[in-house]
Amino acid sequence: MTAIPKEEYLLKCTSACAGCSSSLCLRYITKAAGPDTVLVVPACCTSVIQGMYPNTAMDIPVYNIAFAAAAACASGLSNAFRALRRETNVIVYAGDGGTVDIGIQALSGAFERGTDFLYICYDNEAYGNTGMQRSGATPLGARTTTTPGGKPTTKKDLDRIVEAHDPPYMATACSAYPLDLFKKVKKALSIRGPKFIHILAPCPPGWRYSAEKTIEMGKLAVKTGTWVLYEREYGNLTINGPSKAAIRKPAPLEDYIKGQGRFKGVTPAMLEQMRQQMQANITRLVREEEGIC
Amino acid sequence: MRERLALSRPTEASSGKTGSWRTFRPVVDREKCNACGLCAQFCPDSVIDEDLVIDIEFCKGCGICAAECPKEAITMVREDR
Ligand SMILES: Cc1ncc(C[n+]2csc(CCOP(=O)(O)OP(=O)(O)O)c2C)c(N)n1
Ligand code: SF4
Ligand code: SF4
Ligand code: SF4
Ligand SMILES: [Mg+2]
């Protein structure tokens, strides 16, 4: 594997909460992309963690843009760079609210047009920056400020929506596996056309666990099978090692649920529904990998 | 009137010296440390350098390095302030 560059493009120190996994993701994404990169960031925690004007912690250009416009802005930037024969990487880095809810039509448009860019959604499963309101990506049963009794509906399946656009590369990742994320960003940027990476990004204040557990929480999401790590290259699916192991021998779902305050109050019936959903997702992916779907 | 572009410039400490946020400070026991580098790999704020020295001016005290150290070489010690 290529060595991880020593350079840091996220300067000390951002205003992210202690233990923020989005900061960790940004470190490895920018290491993989290098300095010839423009990030397009719609309103989200990442617009704030850059620090206060006229200073920024980001040592590469960042275009802070209105919520609904991120992928459209990236299309324009990418077309302009390519017209100038420049290979500058254009990467949207957006939250789950900005992706599954507000930015989805611009995302769909850019993928349909075949824009040469990488869209990354870091998913902390709520509107974090404004104090944790539920988003379409909030999972069943999770308490947020707008679902104080737990979210009654399930998480929107963003990956299947993106898959319907047949992108040349799409992958899932998790902040607890930064080297895997690094590799996926490198691979995505080596392919022309619209690419997509969906990162599960545990958030201490939002998920209500203490900051030192950020890596453990991400690993538990993968080890229980709640979050499946995979890549789909030109339609061919590969489930990655940690998830293969989890499918063979999953950790109990309770281990993931019980460590998070947002799941306090999940009933046994809800837990069963979560388990079924998780199993259905795994079965679908395994069948696809084996070519029987 | 001169038009101004809202352009921020890369700077360290764009959010101040975040070390003041800490309630617990990571303390490394060099005897136990085997220099595996995992603490630096997982630090969200990249405050652990190549020589595995923690920049205490910026470390937010999240405790991830201590939780992930396979040698249990890092202890989180309460700050007295
Ligand atoms: C059109 C518009 N509506 C609402 C807001 C307020 N707002 C800013 S950030 C944010 C939350 C974004 O959530 P998400 O995309 O999940 O990113 P996160 O904050 O969780 O990182 C909201 C609602 C805004 N800036 N613009
Ligand atoms: S609310 Fe969550 S995602 Fe946002 S800065 Fe804090 S830890 Fe990071
Ligand atoms: S994780 Fe622990 S053993 Fe590894 S380099 Fe850091 S302090 Fe040393
Ligand atoms: S406590 Fe957190 S911020 Fe400080 S060095 Fe350890 S991982 Fe980095
Ligand atoms: Mg969010």
Side-chain angles (χ1 to χ4, degrees):
Chain A
M1 203 191 116
T2 32
I4 307 284
K6 290 191 188 84
E7 288 78 17
E8 299 285 348
Y9 299 97
L10 190 64
L11 304 176
K12 296 183 281 195
C13 223
T14 71
S15 60
C17 312
C20 173
S21 66
S22 174
S23 312
L24 184 60
C25 294
L26 275 169
R27 280 186 63 204
Y28 287 88
I29 291 163
T30 51
K31 277 171 185 281
D36 190 13
T37 300
V38 175
L39 282 189
V40 179
V41 178
C44 57
C45 284
T46 306
S47 358
V48 173
I49 69 181
Q50 296 160 32
M52 265 178 294
Y53 176 80
N55 300 319
T56 174
M58 297 294 317
D59 205 6
I60 54 169
V62 178
Y63 204 122
N64 287 294
I65 187 98
F67 249 131
C73 168
S75 275
L77 283 171
S78 171
N79 286 357
F81 282 128
R82 301 303 172 260
L84 291 170
R85 307 204 179 287
R86 281 177 59 179
E87 290 305 311
T88 304
N89 301 310
V90 178
I91 304 180
V92 171
Y93 188 71
D96 51 298
T99 304
V100 307
D101 299 333
I102 313 175
I104 198 150
Q105 72 84 17
L107 164 66
S108 178
F111 274 67
E112 186 271 331
R113 285 190 298 275
T115 295
D116 184 26
F117 82 134
L118 168 61
Y119 192 110
I120 298 178
C121 171
Y122 71 99
D123 187 355
N124 59 7
E125 303 193 312
Y127 288 83
N129 184 41
T130 37
M132 282 292 151
Q133 295 78 21
R134 61 85 99 190
S135 80
T138 302
L140 178 77
R143 287 182 180 178
T144 63
T145 49
T146 46
T147 53
K151 185 170 177 245
T153 55
T154 56
K155 185 179 173 87
K156 193 192 282 187
D157 196 340
L158 171 67
D159 302 331
R160 284 210 279 169
I161 298 172
V162 173
E163 187 197 341
H165 296 76
D166 276 332
Y169 183 82
M170 64 181 286
T172 54
C174 173
S175 55
Y177 301 83
L179 305 184
D180 176 69
L181 172 62
F182 175 89
K183 243 175 23 199
K184 286 171 175 169
V185 173
K186 273 264 180 223
K187 190 186 281 180
L189 292 174
S190 73
I191 296 170
R192 225 173 172 81
K195 286 86 59 181
F196 175 77
I197 299 178
H198 188 182
I199 311 173
L200 184 72
C203 162
W207 296 15
R208 304 186 204 172
Y209 64 82
S210 58
E212 79 278 5
K213 294 204 167 72
T214 282
I215 305 302
E216 183 189 328
M217 229 26 100
K219 286 197 171 156
L220 277 172
V222 170
K223 286 179 178 167
T224 54
T226 309
W227 190 255
V228 182
L229 297 174
Y230 66 79
E231 291 169 283
R232 198 180 277 109
E233 263 183 275
Y234 299 103
N236 292 318
L237 183 89
T238 310
I239 298 174
N240 302 128
S243 286
K244 280 248 164 74
I247 292 168
R248 271 196 304 275
K249 200 170 178 300
L253 181 57
E254 287 82 351
D255 290 0
Y256 179 59
I257 301 296
K258 71 171 189 262
Q260 301 174 48
R262 65 175 176 158
F263 287 124
K264 227 180 185 174
V266 160
T267 61
M270 261 181 179
L271 194 67
E272 192 42 42
Q273 199 183 337
M274 285 176 183
R275 196 172 276 123
Q276 282 173 13
Q277 233 178 44
M278 186 178 88
Q279 204 45 58
N281 185 44
I282 289 173
T283 306
R284 195 174 46 77
L285 289 168
V286 169
R287 287 173 68 92
E288 183 186 334
E289 193 183 37
E290 289 170 353
I292 40 175
C293 60
Chain B
M1 203 178 79
R2 197 166 65 95
E3 273 195 61
R4 288 189 55 156
L5 188 63
L7 194 68
S8 294
R9 303 200 183 274
T11 344
E12 270 202 356
S14 67
S15 302
K17 299 269 172 76
T18 48
S20 65
W21 297 11
R22 247 186 351 259
T23 35
F24 289 90
R25 162 198 295 253
V27 178
V28 185
D29 179 346
R30 298 278 159 204
E31 297 285 295
K32 286 190 188 166
C33 169
N34 68 356
C36 70
L38 278 176
C39 50
Q41 184 184 116
F42 285 121
C43 173
D45 288 293
S46 57
V47 301
I48 308 181
D49 69 16
E50 275 172 66
D51 303 320
L52 305 168
V53 175
I54 299 176
D55 185 343
I56 219 70
E57 264 193 327
F58 288 102
C59 161
K60 294 173 182 170
C62 69
I64 288 179
C65 53
E68 296 308 316
C69 171
K71 292 282 164 198
E72 294 182 18
I74 306 180
T75 327
M76 299 303 291
V77 179
R78 186 177 277 282
E79 295 280 0
D80 44 9
R81 48 171 162 233

